[in-house]
Amino acid sequence: GVKLHTVSGPVISSGTILFEDGKITALGVDIPLPKGTRQIKGKRLHVYPALFDPYSQIGLTEINSIRATNDYRETGSINPNVMAHVALNPDSELIPVARANGVLLALTAPSGGLVSGQSAVIQLDGWTFEDLTLKPGVGMHIQWPTQGSVANFTSSGGSSADANQRLKLLFDQVKDYHRARQMGDHPIDLKMEAMVPVITGKMPVIVHANTARTIQAAVAFCSERKLQMILLGGYDAEHCAALLKEHDIPVVVSGIHRLPRRRSDPYDAPYTLPERLRQQGVRFCIAGISKFGGPNVRNLPYQAGTAVAYGLPQDEAIKAITLSPAEIYGVAHRVGSLEVGKDATLIITNGSPLETTTRTIVAFIQGREVSLANRHTRLYRKYRARYQP
């Protein structure tokens, strides 16, 4: 009796979704149920695929102002061997908070330096980092030097020109290392070894860039070296739309709730960016990243909701936080939409998740019902009981 928002297909009103052993086995109308099936009556309820935050530091940070709880960056500026998934904290209080608002999937990524390391797609429930990890080594994050600036490249030190030169040198060294490894018994270098999947096209580079000149420089570099590229940030991506489409480069819009980058920009430039990209035919998804990369994952649906308020169609906004990130990161065969054969990772709500009044009623990760209790609900019950007469 639920309304099924499949995302990859039409909405099914008063439908049924059936899953077994963690996989969706049937969905539609009048689905016969095997004997002994646990049933959830879904009248006036909605089923959506799990919300997916395509860029965060959840599991790698707890309290931003306390250094000991932050494990999202390493010292030095070239760290391709850093793997986010092995640093995950399964006991983070931020994970159940995000889960309670329907966000069951996320890309968690290292940051800082020039080459930050490898991100991972995680599911927000599990006892160990292995349980949490859906796909490790999703992409190599590069904080691309801002072009046209003589200011210091603060993440790694030195000017932008120095950083450009260091990137070129790094990729040349990796190419030589890979050739030497193929030809004989060359000593293993962990940093070089971590870069080999990038130069062989098995792992994309996730380029952090916002200005048009920086985006163009990154695309030219990746095209010349035949690298797969995903653009993260993309404030000026609209101005590079033809280039991005030509090379089939998707954009991870790093949050809607941010300020315009230039004084001359309209106040709503960040809010309208997804719709402008859609009109240009550029593939994109929406992330919830903000100044605090872990605590605000829970607000992901409201970032997409603001994009709807400024022109993006609602079905496209839902897709931008479910199926689109799954497609961009290569996990769409498992998550992102309601389809037979995919993981039963989904949420049941009493309305659109883009609305602040909507509650997530039940959540499943790979067919396993997960708890929606969290620190917020515990504090709510505690202080509500204190002030009751």
Side-chain angles (χ1 to χ4, degrees):
V2 290
K3 193 169 187 177
L4 297 172
H5 301 263
T6 63
V7 179
S8 59
V11 175
I12 302 172
S13 297
S14 193
T16 297
I17 182 167
L18 179 68
F19 46 91
E20 185 177 0
D21 296 329
K23 299 290 185 180
I24 298 172
T25 56
L27 72 163
V29 180
D30 298 326
I31 300 294
L33 303 181
K35 186 177 180 180
T37 299
R38 176 194 168 192
Q39 296 184 42
I40 298 175
K41 299 297 182 181
K43 189 176 181 181
R44 292 190 295 275
L45 296 180
H46 303 252
V47 174
Y48 290 89
L51 305 187
F52 189 154
D53 192 329
Y55 181 63
S56 75
Q57 273 127 27
I58 194 164
L60 303 179
T61 182
E62 196 70 15
I63 303 171
N64 288 70
S65 60
I66 300 179
R67 185 177 179 181
T69 71
N70 296 323
D71 199 16
Y72 54 79
R73 68 174 295 166
E74 294 293 331
T75 57
S77 62
I78 307 291
N79 294 299
N81 53 319
V82 166
M83 295 180 287
H85 70 286
V86 300
L88 289 170
N89 173 19
D91 297 319
S92 169
E93 289 278 11
L94 305 181
I95 288 176
V97 171
R99 198 166 61 208
N101 211 28
V103 182
L104 308 184
L105 299 163
L107 182 91
T108 191
S111 66
L114 187 60
V115 179
S116 304
Q118 305 169 40
S119 55
V121 172
I122 64 171
Q123 49 194 16
L124 302 189
D125 182 64
W127 287 100
T128 65
F129 78 82
E130 293 93 343
D131 293 340
L132 289 168
T133 304
L134 187 68
K135 181 182 178 181
V138 169
M140 186 69 68
H141 288 254
I142 298 180
Q143 314 290 327
W144 212 268
T146 301
Q147 303 301 302
S149 172
V150 296
N152 283 347
F153 182 68
T154 55
S155 294
S156 61
S159 68
S160 297
D162 292 337
N164 287 330
Q165 203 58 38
R166 293 173 72 190
L167 271 181
K168 292 177 182 177
L169 179 61
L170 172 65
F171 276 88
D172 288 340
Q173 289 174 336
V174 173
K175 186 177 179 180
D176 293 340
Y177 169 84
H178 182 52
R179 187 184 298 114
R181 287 285 296 163
Q182 288 179 316
M183 292 178 63
D185 188 20
H186 189 278
I188 292 177
D189 182 309
L190 292 180
K191 289 190 176 184
M192 295 291 108
E193 199 69 29
M195 288 292 293
V196 170
V198 175
I199 66 166
T200 56
K202 296 179 181 178
M203 181 189 295
V205 290
I206 300 178
V207 170
H208 295 234
N210 279 291
T211 66
R213 290 183 64 178
T214 306
I215 294 169
Q216 290 163 357
V219 173
F221 184 95
C222 293
S223 176
E224 178 186 354
R225 295 173 182 264
K226 296 181 171 55
L227 309 177
Q228 294 183 57
M229 175 178 159
I230 297 170
L231 175 61
L232 195 150
Y235 184 87
D236 285 343
E238 179 196 9
H239 305 303
C240 308
L243 188 64
L244 296 173
K245 287 169 62 179
E246 177 186 349
H247 296 278
D248 192 27
I249 296 171
V251 180
V252 180
V253 178
S254 58
I256 306 300
H257 299 160
R258 52 178 171 168
L259 294 173
R261 289 181 62 86
R262 292 174 287 265
R263 293 177 63 88
S264 58
D265 289 345
Y267 79 93
D268 60 356
Y271 310 153
T272 61
L273 178 58
E275 173 60 9
R276 287 183 279 126
L277 292 178
R278 186 188 73 85
Q279 291 180 0
Q280 295 278 358
V282 177
R283 292 195 294 139
F284 73 93
C285 62
I286 296 173
I289 194 67
S290 64
K291 184 178 179 182
F292 304 106
N296 283 332
V297 168
R298 69 186 189 275
N299 290 326
L300 172 68
Y302 312 137
Q303 304 261 359
T306 298
V308 172
Y310 285 83
L312 185 67
Q314 183 161 315
D315 58 341
E316 290 293 328
I318 293 292
K319 184 179 178 181
I321 55 174
T322 53
L323 183 57
S324 291
E327 291 174 338
I328 290 170
Y329 293 137
V331 292
H333 63 291
R334 294 192 60 180
V335 296
S337 61
L338 303 179
E339 297 180 55
V340 173
K342 287 193 175 184
D343 291 358
T345 301
L346 51 89
I347 56 175
I348 304 175
T349 70
N350 62 353
S352 169
L354 306 184
E355 299 284 348
T356 57
T357 53
T358 295
R359 288 193 305 118
T360 299
I361 309 298
V362 187
F364 293 92
I365 293 179
Q366 293 183 343
R368 180 182 69 257
E369 184 173 353
V370 294
S371 172
L372 298 180
N374 58 81
R375 188 179 185 187
H376 293 192
T377 57
R378 292 196 301 271
L379 290 173
Y380 170 76
R381 288 195 299 268
K382 174 182 177 179
Y383 288 103
R384 187 166 182 257
R386 177 181 179 182
Y387 292 110
Q388 282 180 342

